[in-house]
Amino acid sequence: MDLISKYRSELMGIAIIWVILYHLILTQNSPYSFGFLDSILGNGYGGVDIFLYLSGFGLVRSWNKCLQQNHSHAINLFYKRRILRLAPTYIFICILYSIYQNNWNTLFYSISTIGHWINHNRYDWYVPTILLLYLSFPILYKLIQKYKFRFLIISFIIILLVTISFNYLSITNDLRMLSISRIPIFILGIYHGICPISYFNRSYYFRNTILMFIGLVLLFSLKHSPLRILFCGGLFQLTFLFITPGLCHIISWTLNTIKLPILNSILSLLGILSYELYLIHLKLIENIVKLPFFGEINHWVYFTILIILIITISYMTNKLMHIILNIISKIKFSI
């Protein structure tokens, strides 16, 4: 687990690349293809599971730091840090999107995240999901401390039954299921964050490798099942509960073995900017064929230019939010 902690930013960098390329090849009328890699990129929603797994793991450390700094107000400090990390950038992007659409009705539903949960207007499903998971963290943390692995098993069984029920009832194109199906992987991240170092021995890594292959077989089976199982039913995503830990360990071990500083630096930067990259790339990549001048320029050149713009805007947004938050903190301090 030390390797996953060491390469956390790089893992998030790989995850956001996976998500972006997933959206690229699956956008409507997309001319983009990466040949045999399309079968891997077509499962790029697994990048979100990597984010949530690492988030659950990382939040344990953040929570413990809050307890050490101010035990009586730990929960307030914890929520403040999480909201300040999520809200400013999200609100900024939602406002820009509403201006672009000239539709201010979307703004309230997006910023409040209500739109996602009532299946109405929304910017995306991801931020409402992580916001709810972050708000639930202190409760989940206590439940995992008390019931340990049993809580994960019970949670998985409940979510599995819910997703099967939704598929059985043919309520499958519901983005809320993308949120519900991600609860177990977040809980698993918290569980691994709580586990003592002695838990992460050779048998742990062996089990995770076996579980990863089981998860891949399950994912392949579901995708080729004659049953009416669609993407938004949540079952595809649930398989990443088995896949993600082993995958993160293999990637971390590979990065630690090959030791390419330039590659690690690039992946680390993308990981640090992953939240901004996710929010900013979303509507651009999903609608790339509808963007200005598409078709007038070679589509690979167009994609390269667009990615450079997305990274640049993400970097500038990240820095701008840090400046704004620093100003706010100084004003409060002076008062």
Side-chain angles (χ1 to χ4, degrees):
M1 211 62 184
D2 288 342
L3 284 180
I4 291 179
S5 298
K6 180 180 179 181
Y7 292 103
R8 185 175 182 272
S9 294
E10 287 87 344
L11 285 167
M12 295 182 78
I14 290 172
I16 192 61
I17 292 171
W18 198 12
V19 170
I20 290 173
L21 294 180
Y22 164 74
H23 287 142
L24 179 70
I25 66 171
L26 290 187
T27 189
Q28 191 174 9
N29 301 319
S30 174
Y32 295 96
S33 174
F34 294 84
F36 71 93
L37 291 176
D38 283 356
S39 59
I40 297 174
L41 299 177
N43 296 300
Y45 45 84
V48 173
D49 294 273
I50 293 176
F51 287 137
L52 292 177
Y53 175 69
L54 295 174
S55 293
F57 182 80
L59 286 180
V60 173
R61 296 187 176 185
S62 178
W63 176 249
N64 289 335
K65 285 181 181 178
C66 290
L67 289 173
Q68 291 172 3
Q69 290 177 14
N70 192 335
H71 190 277
S72 59
H73 297 285
I75 193 166
N76 294 333
L77 186 60
F78 176 82
Y79 282 150
K80 178 182 176 182
R81 288 177 177 175
R82 301 285 75 75
I83 291 172
L84 287 177
R85 173 66 183 117
L86 295 178
T89 305
Y90 182 60
I91 293 170
F92 178 65
I93 298 301
C94 286
I95 290 172
L96 290 181
Y97 184 62
S98 294
I99 293 172
Y100 171 74
Q101 279 199 320
N102 194 25
N103 181 2
W104 294 98
N105 292 328
T106 305
L107 186 61
F108 167 75
Y109 289 105
S110 295
I111 290 178
S112 66
T113 73
I114 292 173
H116 173 61
W117 301 113
I118 65 173
N119 208 19
H120 194 54
N121 290 332
R122 63 171 73 83
Y123 183 77
D124 187 50
W125 66 274
Y126 178 65
V127 173
T129 302
I130 56 174
L131 179 61
L132 179 65
L133 292 174
Y134 284 2
L135 291 174
S136 305
F137 173 83
I139 298 172
L140 294 174
Y141 181 87
K142 288 184 178 180
L143 288 170
I144 295 167
Q145 274 191 320
K146 184 175 181 179
Y147 298 106
K148 297 181 171 58
F149 196 69
R150 287 173 293 169
F151 180 69
L152 173 63
I153 296 297
I154 293 169
S155 301
F156 174 74
I157 291 172
I158 292 172
I159 300 301
L160 178 62
L161 291 174
V162 170
T163 54
I164 289 174
S165 299
F166 265 62
N167 280 277
Y168 179 75
L169 296 171
S170 298
I171 310 173
T172 46
N173 70 339
D174 191 328
L175 290 177
R176 289 173 294 189
M177 292 307 299
L178 298 183
S179 302
I180 293 170
S181 61
R182 267 29 188 269
I183 295 173
I185 191 65
F186 183 71
I187 292 174
L188 180 61
I190 298 172
Y191 175 73
H192 282 165
I194 292 174
C195 287
I197 296 175
S198 58
Y199 177 81
F200 304 102
N201 50 31
R202 288 186 177 181
S203 62
Y204 162 81
Y205 294 113
F206 177 75
R207 287 196 308 270
N208 276 349
T209 303
I210 297 298
L211 286 172
M212 182 183 71
F213 284 109
I214 292 173
L216 290 170
V217 170
L218 286 172
L219 179 60
F220 180 85
S221 301
L222 287 172
K223 286 204 160 189
H224 294 83
S225 170
L227 300 175
R228 189 175 183 272
I229 299 172
L230 299 181
F231 171 79
C232 289
L235 286 176
F236 294 173
Q237 290 74 19
L238 269 178
T239 62
F240 276 89
L241 176 68
F242 305 99
I243 297 169
T244 303
L247 182 61
C248 286
H249 175 67
I250 289 172
I251 293 172
S252 300
W253 178 85
T254 303
L255 291 171
N256 193 60
T257 302
I258 60 175
K259 293 182 179 178
L260 297 175
I262 296 177
L263 175 63
N264 287 359
S265 296
I266 293 172
L267 292 176
S268 180
L269 175 62
L270 295 178
I272 292 168
L273 299 176
S274 58
Y275 180 58
E276 290 80 10
L277 285 168
Y278 180 87
L279 290 175
I280 291 168
H281 97 274
L282 199 60
K283 301 304 179 183
L284 294 174
I285 296 295
E286 284 185 347
N287 298 283
I288 189 171
V289 298
K290 299 177 183 178
L291 295 179
F293 308 113
F294 188 87
E296 298 178 22
I297 307 172
N298 177 280
H299 62 265
W300 286 111
V301 174
Y302 194 95
F303 173 66
T304 302
I305 295 171
L306 186 60
I307 284 296
I308 292 171
L309 285 173
I310 289 171
I311 293 173
T312 303
I313 295 170
S314 298
Y315 180 81
M316 292 172 64
T317 302
N318 181 277
K319 294 301 180 184
L320 175 62
M321 293 304 123
H322 274 93
I323 292 171
I324 291 173
L325 291 177
N326 284 335
I327 292 172
I328 292 173
S329 65
K330 288 179 180 178
I331 292 172
K332 287 184 177 180
F333 181 79
S334 63
I335 292 172

